[in-house]
């Protein structure tokens, strides 16, 4: 994925000063790997819902999800996801819409659960071997902003705060009443904080 990003940047003839990355959840792992290998091509980066360590609880949860998907139980997988990905306050605001949202996710992947399983397998495998990359992470000088939700059950805030410690030029922000995706639950603040980083305020 990091290589693919470089191909896109080359095809668009983008200069490094114009390349700012935003990675959410699995996308934040892609951002970290891109910074590790191509930091000279990146101006600034935002990571949200980021895990960059060998976490046994995450591995076990990933294996559970993969097993459900191998059994083609996308419905069970989606139900489990909705218990972790949003905060209670966000779910209460859209309580009536939750079944339809969950059903739409199930419908999208019911005939291709392998697509979800491969994403989970890829990130789990990368994280289980990630410690060998820490020395290179520490050489990344790119300014980084980490946005974490205080109620994130999928990747707890303490994991995300630690992710920031692996890079020398990182700022950490934590949002209350927010879970795994601040760009959904607290869009205005997440967008504002990201733009301030990108324009160097």
């Amino acid at each position: 994925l990091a290589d693919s990003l470089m191909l896109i940047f080359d095809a668009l003839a983008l200069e490094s000063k114009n390349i700012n990355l935003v990675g959410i959840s699995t996308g934040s792992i892609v951002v970290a790997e891109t910074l590790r290998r191509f930091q000279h091509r990146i101006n600034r980066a935002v990571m949200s819902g980021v895990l960059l360590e060998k976490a046994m609880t995450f591995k076990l949860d990933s294996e559970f999800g993969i097993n459900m998907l191998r059994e083609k139980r996308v419905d069970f997988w989606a139900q489990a996801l909705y218990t972790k990905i949003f905060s209670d306050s966000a779910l209460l605001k859209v309580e009536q819409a939750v079944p339809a949202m969950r059903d739409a996710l199930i419908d999208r992947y019911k005939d291709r659960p392998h697509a979800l399983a491969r994403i989970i397998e890829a990130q789990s495998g990368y994280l289980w071997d990630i410690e060998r990359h820490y020395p290179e992470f520490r050489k990344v000088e790119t300014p980084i902003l980490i946005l974490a939700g205080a109620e994130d059950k999928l990747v707890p805030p303490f994991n995300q705060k630690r992710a920031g410690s692996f890079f020398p030029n990182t700022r950490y922000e934590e949002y209350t009443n927010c879970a795994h995706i601040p760009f959904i639950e607290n869009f205005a603040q997440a967008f504002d904080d990201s733009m301030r980083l990108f324009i160097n305020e």
Side-chain angles (χ1 to χ4, degrees):
L1 290 172
D3 288 331
S4 296
L5 280 177
M6 291 304 110
L7 291 174
I8 292 169
F9 300 155
D10 289 342
L12 296 174
L14 295 177
E15 297 181 40
S16 299
K17 65 180 182 179
N18 296 322
I19 299 177
N20 297 304
L21 299 182
V22 177
I24 300 169
S25 195
T26 302
S28 64
I29 300 175
V30 177
V31 168
E33 177 64 4
T34 303
L35 289 171
R36 180 182 78 85
R37 295 175 54 205
F38 306 108
Q39 67 161 313
H40 62 285
R41 297 289 306 274
I42 309 302
N43 182 43
R44 287 173 168 74
V46 174
M47 292 187 278
S48 179
V50 58
L51 179 68
L52 294 176
E53 60 185 285
K54 186 177 177 179
M56 190 65 186
T57 50
F58 188 84
K59 182 178 174 64
L60 293 173
D61 188 58
S62 296
E63 289 173 350
F64 179 61
I66 290 169
N67 287 335
M68 281 193 286
L69 294 168
R70 283 178 177 159
E71 295 295 323
K72 299 186 177 179
R73 296 310 308 255
V74 178
D75 53 341
F76 286 174
W77 176 85
Q79 282 184 309
L81 182 69
Y82 266 76
T83 66
K84 297 175 284 190
I85 202 165
F86 296 116
S87 67
D88 288 339
S89 57
L91 288 174
L92 285 170
K93 288 177 185 176
V94 296
E95 183 178 4
Q96 301 302 316
V98 169
M101 293 164 60
R102 193 170 51 213
D103 288 346
L105 179 62
I106 294 168
D107 187 61
R108 182 176 182 181
Y109 288 102
K110 66 182 179 183
D111 295 325
R112 49 194 186 102
H114 59 280
L116 294 170
R118 288 301 296 125
I119 292 172
I120 298 170
E121 288 172 344
Q123 68 180 10
S124 184
Y126 180 83
L127 293 174
W128 208 243
D129 194 34
I130 197 170
E131 291 176 357
R132 67 190 177 97
H133 294 323
Y134 287 170
E136 292 170 277
F137 286 164
R138 294 190 177 99
K139 295 177 183 177
V140 173
E141 298 178 357
T142 308
I144 298 168
L145 173 64
I146 291 181
L147 303 179
E151 296 183 27
D152 193 340
K153 304 177 189 72
L154 194 62
V155 181
F158 60 82
N159 287 121
Q160 299 191 54
K161 198 166 192 176
R162 271 203 296 264
S165 70
F166 303 143
F167 298 91
N169 193 8
T170 302
R171 182 164 62 90
Y172 174 85
E173 294 287 343
E174 188 173 307
Y175 300 150
T176 58
N177 301 317
C178 189
H180 190 59
I181 313 178
F183 282 95
I184 291 179
E185 293 194 39
N186 194 349
F187 172 77
Q189 189 64 56
F191 181 82
D192 184 65
D193 286 341
S194 298
M195 289 305 104
R196 289 181 182 278
L197 173 75
F198 294 159
I199 62 178
N200 198 26
E201 279 196 1

